[in-house]
């Protein structure tokens, strides 16, 4: 009679290796298509691959021996360069699909100037992106990771069972999210209790987005970091964990829509060298209306993540892998 073999315990090192391998592969998979510049989706996928690779490397850093070309900082720099081109693609797509069809003919013609400026800007940015994929820092990153994946080198922490260290890995990032000042934008505190302002008119919200835009943008980035990190370990948790990932993604998406809309407005002001209300009044109103709608969608989520009970449950979920 054969004895049943014990299932091997997966370690922090195992997870680090799998995550780096997966996202490095994805990044490389899209490289050729990005160089050909035939489909914006390729650039999007490569950028996501690199961002997730960065999350994996920065989060597992405590368990890895990786040389400098594969540092969080270096990958961040490369990712940002890919991001510049992607941002222009998103801007074009949003203008074309969400706004242009809803404009009067006169404004559609005026908008053509913006598309011409965008095309020129994109050509310059594409050139820089292609240079990035040829330059030394990108080649060094690829070489470093190929060598490391062939023969990985770890720090002592890597040999600990993953379930033992999971909460300690995840909770600092979740805490940074829950303590982010962006969660308090559009609230007031009465007797130590945070209240959401639901009485604000569109103009007041616009004012907040102007003065607190950077804080809200940073909250979105923190939400993305939490989500990427949590997704690395989704298989080790149950349904409530997956529900938190979904909610954090919603927060990221809604705040992302608001930020993209603000950036679009600023970019158009730059192109037309004047406030867009003069040249594109319908578009300016549509942008503001959408921001108002997204703010309404954000507030229930904001309220939920300011509640002590929900924050407590979020922590409890992370403390108990399945």
């Amino acid at each position: 009679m054969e004895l049943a073999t014990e299932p091997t315990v997966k370690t922090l090192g195992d997870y680090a290796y799998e995550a780096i391998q997966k996202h490095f592969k994805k990044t490389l998979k899209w490289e050729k298509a990005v160089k050909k510049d035939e489909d914006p989706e390729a650039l999007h996928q490569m950028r996501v691959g690199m961002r997730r690779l960065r999350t994996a490397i920065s989060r597992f850093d405590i368990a890895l021996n990786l040389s400098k070309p594969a540092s969080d900082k270096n990958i961040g720099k490369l990712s940002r360069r890919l991001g510049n081109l992607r941002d222009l693609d998103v801007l074009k797509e949003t203008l074309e699909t969400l706004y242009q069809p809803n404009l009067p003919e006169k404004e559609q013609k005026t908008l053509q100037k913006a598309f011409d400026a965008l095309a020129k800007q994109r050509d310059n940015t594409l050139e820089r992106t292609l240079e990035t994929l040829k330059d030394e820092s990108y080649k060094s990153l690829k070489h470093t990771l190929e060598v490391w994946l062939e023969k990985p080198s770890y720090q002592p922490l890597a040999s600990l069972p993953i379930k033992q260290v999971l909460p300690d890995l995840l909770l600092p990032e979740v805490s940074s999210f829950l303590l982010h000042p962006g969660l308090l934008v559009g609230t007031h505190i009465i007797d130590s209790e945070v209240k959401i302002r639901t009485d604000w008119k569109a103009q007041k919200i616009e004012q907040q987005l102007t003065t607190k835009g950077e804080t809200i943008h940073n909250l979105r980035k923190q939400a993305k970091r939490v989500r990427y990190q949590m997704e690395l370990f989704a298989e080790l948790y149950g349904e409530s964990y997956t529900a938190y990932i979904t909610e954090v993604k919603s927060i990221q998406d809604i705040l992302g829509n608001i930020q993209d809309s603000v950036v679009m407005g600023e970019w158009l002001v730059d192109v037309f060298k004047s406030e867009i209300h003069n040249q594109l009044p319908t578009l300016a109103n549509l942008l503001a209306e959408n921001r108002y709608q997204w703010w309404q969608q954000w507030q229930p989520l904001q309220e939920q993540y300011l509640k002590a009970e929900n924050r407590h449950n979020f922590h409890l979920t992370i403390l108990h892998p399945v």
Side-chain angles (χ1 to χ4, degrees):
M1 181 179 121
E2 280 186 38
L3 286 171
T5 53
E6 283 285 313
T8 51
V9 173
K10 284 185 88 168
T11 63
L12 180 58
D14 295 333
Y15 263 82
Y17 187 91
E18 281 170 20
I20 290 169
Q21 183 184 47
K22 178 182 172 184
H23 299 308
F24 181 50
K25 253 189 186 168
K26 179 173 179 171
T27 304
L28 293 185
K29 178 186 168 185
W30 295 98
E31 187 188 318
K32 263 191 189 134
V34 168
K35 285 177 175 170
K36 285 182 186 163
D37 191 38
E38 287 168 353
D39 179 7
E41 186 58 23
L43 175 68
H44 173 57
Q45 292 297 340
M46 185 174 181
R47 183 198 191 187
V48 169
M50 201 172 272
R51 277 183 160 173
R52 288 180 180 270
L53 177 65
R54 185 186 182 190
T55 298
I57 285 175
S58 65
R59 292 303 153 259
F60 290 118
D61 185 50
I62 49 166
L64 307 172
N65 287 320
L66 266 173
S67 57
K68 204 176 173 187
S71 68
D72 173 35
K73 199 176 170 186
N74 193 30
I75 299 175
K77 210 183 295 176
L78 292 166
S79 183
R80 272 191 298 279
R81 288 187 203 160
L82 288 179
N84 293 337
L85 186 60
R86 174 65 188 160
D87 290 344
L88 292 176
D89 286 345
V90 170
L91 188 60
K92 179 172 187 261
E93 191 188 330
T94 309
L95 270 175
E96 278 177 349
T97 57
L98 199 61
Y99 294 105
Q100 193 182 19
N102 299 309
L103 298 181
E105 200 175 330
K106 188 183 171 205
E107 284 191 42
Q108 291 205 22
K109 281 180 182 161
T110 308
L111 199 58
Q112 196 47 53
K113 183 184 173 186
F115 284 121
D116 295 342
L118 193 56
K120 200 178 281 185
Q121 220 175 320
R122 194 186 186 283
D123 286 345
N124 296 335
T125 310
L126 175 65
E127 209 173 300
R128 285 200 296 275
T129 304
L130 297 179
E131 278 166 17
T132 297
L133 297 181
K134 284 182 198 154
D135 78 12
E136 208 38 61
S137 58
Y138 181 64
K139 285 178 183 165
S140 303
L141 166 68
K142 287 205 300 189
H143 177 71
T144 300
L145 288 176
E146 278 159 4
V147 169
W148 187 86
L149 286 166
E150 195 67 37
K151 199 178 175 194
S153 167
Y154 298 103
Q155 293 188 42
L157 267 177
S159 52
L160 292 178
I162 186 69
K163 287 191 178 178
Q164 187 182 323
V165 294
L166 257 186
D168 299 317
L169 266 183
L170 290 166
L171 285 171
E173 206 66 87
V174 170
S175 296
S176 297
F177 171 67
L178 294 174
L179 291 172
H180 198 285
L183 274 177
L184 292 175
V185 174
T187 66
H188 53 160
I189 296 169
I190 301 167
D191 299 332
S192 306
E193 200 182 334
V194 182
K195 302 275 188 192
I196 303 281
R197 291 191 179 272
T198 51
D199 55 345
W200 277 0
K201 302 281 182 280
Q203 198 180 351
K204 181 70 179 164
I205 290 168
E206 285 293 304
Q207 201 185 327
Q208 279 291 298
L209 292 175
T210 306
T211 55
K212 299 282 198 304
E214 197 53 42
T215 310
I216 294 164
H217 179 45
N218 282 331
L219 176 61
R220 171 211 190 173
K221 289 201 279 196
Q222 184 56 34
K224 186 185 291 177
R225 279 194 285 269
V226 169
R227 177 190 144 214
Y228 280 1
Q229 191 178 356
M230 285 178 74
E231 283 175 352
L232 290 171
F233 307 109
E235 66 185 61
L236 296 170
Y237 284 96
E239 279 173 28
S240 62
Y241 183 88
T242 312
Y244 277 113
I245 293 178
T246 306
E247 279 183 356
V248 170
K249 184 182 187 310
S250 291
I251 290 172
Q252 181 199 322
D253 289 344
I254 295 165
L255 297 182
N257 289 337
I258 292 172
Q259 169 67 11
D260 291 349
S261 172
V262 171
V263 168
M264 184 186 287
E266 288 168 355
W267 181 81
L268 288 165
V269 166
D270 205 40
V271 169
F272 290 101
K273 305 284 178 255
S274 76
E275 287 302 319
I276 56 168
H277 283 279
N278 306 334
Q279 312 240 13
L280 297 158
T282 317
L283 178 58
N285 286 333
L286 280 173
L287 283 167
E289 269 171 38
N290 283 342
R291 284 196 286 270
Y292 184 74
Q293 294 304 328
W294 287 320
W295 191 262
Q296 305 306 312
Q297 289 174 30
W298 154 237
Q299 283 193 311
L301 282 161
Q302 179 186 21
E303 191 164 28
Q304 200 178 326
Y305 279 83
L306 286 168
K307 278 183 184 158
E309 190 188 358
N310 187 47
R311 294 160 80 98
H312 182 61
N313 287 340
F314 199 169
H315 280 108
L316 281 180
T317 297
I318 283 167
L319 283 171
H320 298 111
V322 172

